[in-house]
C-alpha cells in the first residue's frame, strides 16, 4: 500500500535572526498514519523542526508542503488546528479545567467544530488517568505532569491530522508516561493520524514500528528503528 | 475679586532663590551631594522657562494656522521620540506607529476642545491650541510609554501562553488579547486615578495658575474639568491606537510572534 505524503520538506534552511544556521538544505517526507520518533542532542533543532512544520517559524529557504500545498497558502490558525503542536512546557490560562479544555472553541477559526460536553470531557480525563479531577477545579492547582496530560487532551479535541509532541512525558512518572505514549500510538493505529514525538526518554512503542528521525548538526536523517 | 495679576519683579524673583539656598544648606549639612544638581536645576529652570516665555510670546502672535499646526506636529514628533528613547526595544521599530497614533488622537481631541467645548475662534488660535495641545501631549505621552512598555514586556514573558493559543487555532489578535487589555489598563489607570484625587489630594497646577492670574475659581474649575476629561480621552485614544499598531508589528503575516525572549 502506498502511503500518502502529509508533509514534504524540500531543501529547507533555517536560522533564528542573528544566529547561526540551524538547518541547511534539509528534505524529509512524512507519511500519513506513520509514527515518528525524533531524537538528537539538545539545541540540535528538534523543537525548531516541529515549529517549522506548524509554521510558528518560517524557513529562511526552501518549502514545506502540507497535503501537497505550501503551508504558507493556508490560513495560519486553520493550518495549526490541523497540524497540532503541543509544547514541552504545558501552558494553561488562569481558569477552571473546563475553561481550559474548551479554550480552543473560543477561537474564530474553530467555530465550525462541535463543542464537547462535560460527559465527553470527563471520559477523556479518565482515559488519561485524571479521574480524580473535577471540571470546576482550577487548572493552576494541577501538577506539571497532570497539566501535560490536560494539554494533550485539549489538543486532541481539535481532531488534528498531524500531531507534534514536544517531550510529552518529560514531567511524567513511568506509569503516566506509558499512558500518554500508548495514547499517541493509538492515534496512529486507530485514527490514521501522523504522530511526531520528541523523546529523550527510552520510549519503546509497543504496538507499532516507528520511524526514527535524528536531528543533529543542521541535518535531519531518517534511520531504522532499533529497539535495543 | 482682583482682576489683574500682581507682577513679580526681577528682584523679587531673585529673592525666591533663598529657597534654593535653604535646600543647598540642607544638602551640605547632611552631605547629600546635591548642591551641583541644585545649581544646574535652578539655572535650567530659569533659562528654560524664560526661553519658553519668549517663544510663547512669539507664538501667540502667529496668525497662520499652518504654522500653528507645524508647531503642534513638531511637539508630537518630539514626544514620540521621547517615548522611543524610553521604551527600550530593539527588535521592532515602533516610532512611526506611535507618531501616527499620537498625531491622530491628539489632534482630534485638541480640535474638539478648542473648536467645540471652549469655542475659540479661530479654533487654532495659538494662545489656546498650543498650551492645551501641550498638556495633552505631555500627559498622554507617559500613558503611551507605560502601555507600550507593558505590551512588549508581556508579549515576551507570556510567550508560551501566546504561542499555546496560536497552536490551538487562535489568530494573533485572539492570542494577544489579554496582553493588549493589560497594556491599555496600565496606560490609562494613572489619568483615571488623577480624576479620583483631583481637588482632594491636590489642586492642579493649571487651575492654581488661573486663580493666581485673577480668574474666578468657578471658571478655573471648569477649565480644569475640561482638561482632565480631555487628558483621559486623549490617553484612551492615543494608547489604543499605539498599542494596536505596535502589537501588529510584533506579529508576522503568518501569525508568528516576532519578539524573541532576552533579545531586547
Amino acid at each position: 500500500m502506498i502511503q500518502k505524503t502529509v508533509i514534504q520538506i524540500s531543501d529547507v534552511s533555517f536560522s533564528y535572526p542573528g544566529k547561526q544556521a540551524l538547518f541547511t538544505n534539509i528534505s524529509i517526507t512524512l507519511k500519513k498514519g506513520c509514527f515518528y520518533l525524533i531524537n538528537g542532542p539538545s539545541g540540535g533543532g528538534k523543537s525548531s523542526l516541529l515549529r517549522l512544520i506548524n509554521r510558528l517559524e518560517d524557513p529562511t529557504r526552501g518549502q514545506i508542503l502540507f497535503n501537497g500545498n505550501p503551508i504558507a497558502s493556508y490560513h495560519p490558525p486553520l493550518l495549526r488546528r490541523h497540524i497540532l503542536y503541543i509544547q514541552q512546557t504545558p501552558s494553561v490560562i488562569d481558569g477552571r479545567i473546563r475553561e481550559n479544555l474548551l479554550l480552543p472553541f473560543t477561537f474564530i477559526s474553530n467555530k465550525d467544530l462541535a463543542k464537547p460536553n462535560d460527559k465527553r470531557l470527563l471520559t477523556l480525563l479518565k482515559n488519561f488517568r485524571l479521574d480524580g479531577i473535577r471540571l470546576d477545579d482550577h487548572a493552576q492547582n494541577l501538577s506539571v505532569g497532570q497539566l501535560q496530560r490536560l494539554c494533550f487532551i485539549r489538543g486532541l479535541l481539535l481532531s488534528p491530522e498531524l500531531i507534534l509532541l514536544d517531550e510529552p512525558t518529560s514531567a511524567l512518572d513511568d506509569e503516566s508516561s506509558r499512558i500518554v505514549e500508548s495514547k499517541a500510538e493509538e492515534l496512529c493505529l486507530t485514527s490514521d493520524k501522523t504522530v511526531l514525538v520528541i523523546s529523550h526518554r527510552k520510549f519503546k512503542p509497543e504496538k507499532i514500528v516507528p520511524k526514527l528521525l535524528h536531528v543533529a548538526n543542521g541535518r535531519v536523517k531518517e534511520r531504522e528503528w532499533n529497539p535495543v | 475679586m482682583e482682576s489683574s495679576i500682581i507682577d513679580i519683579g526681577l528682584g523679587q524673583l531673585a529673592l525666591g532663590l533663598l529657597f534654593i539656598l535653604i535646600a543647598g544648606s540642607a544638602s551640605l549639612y547632611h552631605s547629600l551631594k546635591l548642591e551641583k544638581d541644585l545649581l544646574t536645576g535652578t539655572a535650567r529652570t530659569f533659562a528654560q522657562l524664560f526661553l519658553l516665555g519668549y517663544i510663547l510670546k512669539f507664538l501667540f502672535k502667529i496668525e497662520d494656522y499652518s504654522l500653528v499646526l507645524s508647531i503642534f506636529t513638531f511637539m508630537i514628533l518630539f514626544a514620540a521620540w521621547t517615548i522611543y528613547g524610553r521604551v527600550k526595544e530593539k527588535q521592532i521599530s515602533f516610532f512611526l506607529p506611535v507618531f501616527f497614533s499620537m498625531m491622530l488622537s491628539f489632534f482630534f481631541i485638541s480640535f474638539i476642545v478648542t473648536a467645540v467645548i471652549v469655542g475659540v475662534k479661530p479654533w487654532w488660535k495659538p494662545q489656546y491650541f498650543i498650551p492645551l495641545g501641550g498638556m495633552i501631549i505631555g500627559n498622554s505621552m507617559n500613558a503611551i510609554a507605560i502601555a507600550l512598555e507593558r505590551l512588549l514586556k508581556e508579549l515576551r514573558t507570556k510567550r508560551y501562553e501566546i504561542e499555546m493559543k496560536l497552536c490551538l487555532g487562535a489568530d494573533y489578535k485572539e492570542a494577544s488579547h489579554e496582553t493588549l487589555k493589560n497594556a491599555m489598563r496600565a496606560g490609562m489607570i494613572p489619568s483615571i486615578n488623577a480624576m479620583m484625587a483631583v481637588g482632594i489630594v491636590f489642586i492642579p497646577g493649571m487651575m492654581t495658575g488661573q486663580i493666581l492670574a485673577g480668574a474666578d475659581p468657578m471658571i478655573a474649575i471648569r477649565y480644569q474639568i475640561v482638561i482632565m476629561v480631555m487628558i483621559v480621552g486623549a490617553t484612551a485614544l492615543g494608547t489604543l491606537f499605539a498599542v494596536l499598531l505596535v502589537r501588529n508589528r510584533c506579529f508576522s503575516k503568518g501569525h508568528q510572534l516576532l519578539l524573541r525572549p532576552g533579545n531586547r
Side-chain angles (χ1 to χ4, degrees):
Chain A
M1 191 182 81
I2 300 167
Q3 286 164 310
K4 200 182 142 204
T5 297
V6 187
I7 293 283
Q8 174 83 55
I9 299 179
S10 317
D11 284 326
V12 160
S13 299
F14 175 69
S15 59
Y16 286 103
K19 300 270 164 69
Q20 271 197 325
L22 200 52
F23 297 122
T24 323
N25 297 329
I26 56 164
S27 296
I28 330 160
T29 305
L30 304 178
K31 299 286 187 187
K32 189 171 171 63
C34 285
F35 195 98
Y36 296 87
L37 267 184
I38 303 175
N39 67 10
S42 294
K46 299 187 295 293
S47 298
S48 301
L49 178 68
L50 300 190
R51 292 171 66 86
L52 280 167
I53 296 174
N54 91 327
R55 224 194 149 199
L56 275 181
E57 309 289 347
D58 278 332
T60 32
R61 260 189 54 200
Q63 188 172 239
I64 302 174
L65 302 180
F66 171 53
N67 288 337
N69 301 308
I71 54 169
S73 68
Y74 292 88
H75 179 48
L78 272 181
L79 176 87
R80 293 187 188 125
R81 171 177 127 188
H82 290 295
I83 304 178
L84 184 82
Y85 170 52
I86 299 176
Q87 300 153 302
Q88 180 179 1
T89 312
S91 176
V92 288
I93 55 165
D94 182 12
R96 297 174 197 280
I97 305 284
R98 187 187 292 100
E99 282 169 67
N100 269 286
L101 287 173
L102 296 180
L103 175 71
F105 300 90
T106 61
F107 304 138
I108 298 166
S109 63
N110 300 331
K111 286 288 180 210
D112 57 320
L113 295 176
K115 206 190 265 189
N117 58 20
D118 282 5
K119 198 178 155 199
R120 165 110 201 272
L121 296 180
L122 286 168
T123 314
L124 280 166
L125 288 175
K126 201 176 163 194
N127 287 347
F128 280 82
R129 298 265 171 94
L130 292 170
D131 25 1
I133 290 168
R134 285 170 308 178
L135 292 172
D136 283 323
D137 289 347
H138 276 277
Q140 266 79 2
N141 297 336
L142 299 189
S143 70
V144 182
Q146 288 172 317
L147 285 176
Q148 238 169 356
R149 279 175 279 169
L150 184 79
C151 292
F152 192 20
I153 299 171
R154 182 177 61 190
L156 295 184
L157 289 170
L158 289 170
S159 315
E161 269 184 64
L162 186 66
I163 299 142
L164 317 173
L165 299 167
D166 198 340
E167 302 262 7
T169 56
S170 59
L172 302 184
D173 55 42
D174 280 353
E175 197 194 346
S176 305
S177 296
R178 208 40 240 145
I179 300 163
V180 169
E181 286 162 0
S182 116
K183 289 287 168 201
E185 287 182 57
E186 267 173 41
L187 284 169
C188 210
L189 273 176
T190 57
S191 319
D192 212 20
K193 313 262 188 204
T194 309
V195 181
L196 273 81
V197 184
I198 296 178
S199 186
H200 274 311
R201 220 176 141 265
K202 298 261 178 242
F203 180 8
K204 287 181 191 159
E206 289 168 351
K207 302 167 206 160
I208 44 174
V209 181
K211 293 174 191 292
L212 195 66
L213 296 175
H214 183 72
V215 182
N217 305 322
R219 304 263 163 205
V220 180
K221 284 181 190 146
E222 197 170 327
R223 288 182 179 170
E224 282 306 309
W225 166 246
N226 182 3
V228 183
Chain B
M1 179 161 296
E2 197 152 350
S3 59
S4 68
I5 188 164
I6 304 169
D7 191 17
I8 301 180
L10 282 177
Q12 291 159 293
L13 202 57
L15 213 57
L17 287 175
L18 273 176
F19 297 124
I20 299 297
L21 280 181
I22 295 172
S25 317
S27 169
L28 277 173
Y29 185 74
H30 289 289
S31 311
L32 305 178
K33 292 185 179 159
L34 289 173
E35 307 84 39
K36 212 177 140 192
D37 285 343
L38 266 170
L39 201 69
T40 5
T42 314
R44 283 187 64 159
T45 303
F46 271 70
Q48 286 165 202
L49 289 181
F50 265 101
L51 190 67
L52 178 70
Y54 285 119
I55 291 174
L56 287 177
K57 265 189 108 150
F58 164 75
L59 288 181
F60 292 171
K61 283 182 199 144
I62 295 173
E63 285 178 6
D64 177 1
Y65 77 92
S66 60
L67 199 56
V68 174
L69 289 186
S70 304
I71 292 161
F72 186 73
T73 309
F74 176 78
M75 286 160 72
I76 290 180
L77 210 61
F78 191 77
W81 187 251
T82 308
I83 294 177
Y84 193 68
R86 187 172 137 186
V87 181
K88 307 243 176 296
E89 174 58 52
K90 293 205 178 81
Q91 274 178 40
I92 57 149
S93 121
F94 60 90
F95 179 75
L96 281 182
V98 167
F99 173 69
F100 283 122
S101 4
M102 287 172 102
M103 198 62 204
L104 196 72
S105 48
F106 297 176
F107 177 77
F108 174 72
I109 301 278
S110 306
F111 175 78
I112 297 286
V113 170
T114 53
V116 183
I117 300 176
V118 184
V120 184
K121 281 187 182 110
W123 61 265
W124 49 266
K125 198 173 178 186
Q127 194 186 338
Y128 288 85
F129 198 76
I130 298 292
L132 286 173
M135 290 198 80
I136 292 182
I137 295 167
N139 283 281
S140 307
M141 181 181 83
N142 284 329
I144 293 178
I146 292 170
L148 287 183
E149 270 175 344
R150 181 66 178 265
L151 177 81
L152 296 163
K153 189 181 162 198
E154 256 193 38
L155 284 178
R156 281 198 170 84
T157 54
K158 294 196 171 168
R159 185 186 177 89
Y160 255 114
E161 191 178 323
I162 291 165
E163 287 197 334
M164 172 271 282
K165 290 177 184 168
L166 290 173
C167 287
L168 293 171
D171 61 28
Y172 80 94
K173 288 179 188 165
E174 290 168 322
S176 58
H177 184 64
E178 277 300 314
T179 304
L180 187 93
K181 272 190 346 196
N182 292 341
M184 281 285 300
R185 283 176 60 88
M188 287 192 60
I189 282 172
S191 59
I192 295 174
N193 283 346
M195 286 207 299
M196 307 282 187
V198 71
I200 300 173
V201 183
F202 67 99
I203 300 178
M206 193 221 61
M207 194 176 136
T208 314
Q210 273 193 323
I211 294 171
L212 287 178
D216 181 338
M218 291 319 283
I219 293 176
I221 60 144
R222 286 182 200 184
Y223 266 90
Q224 191 57 48
I225 291 169
V226 170
I227 296 284
M228 302 290 290
V229 294
M230 169 184 97
I231 287 170
V232 171
T235 302
L237 262 189
T239 312
L240 178 69
F241 289 150
V243 165
L244 281 176
L245 290 176
V246 173
R247 175 183 71 170
N248 223 8
R249 293 210 160 190
C250 296
F251 288 89
S252 69
K253 281 197 178 110
H255 298 250
Q256 299 149 327
L257 183 56
L258 297 174
L259 295 178
R260 307 277 167 195
N263 206 1
R264 290 176 79 166

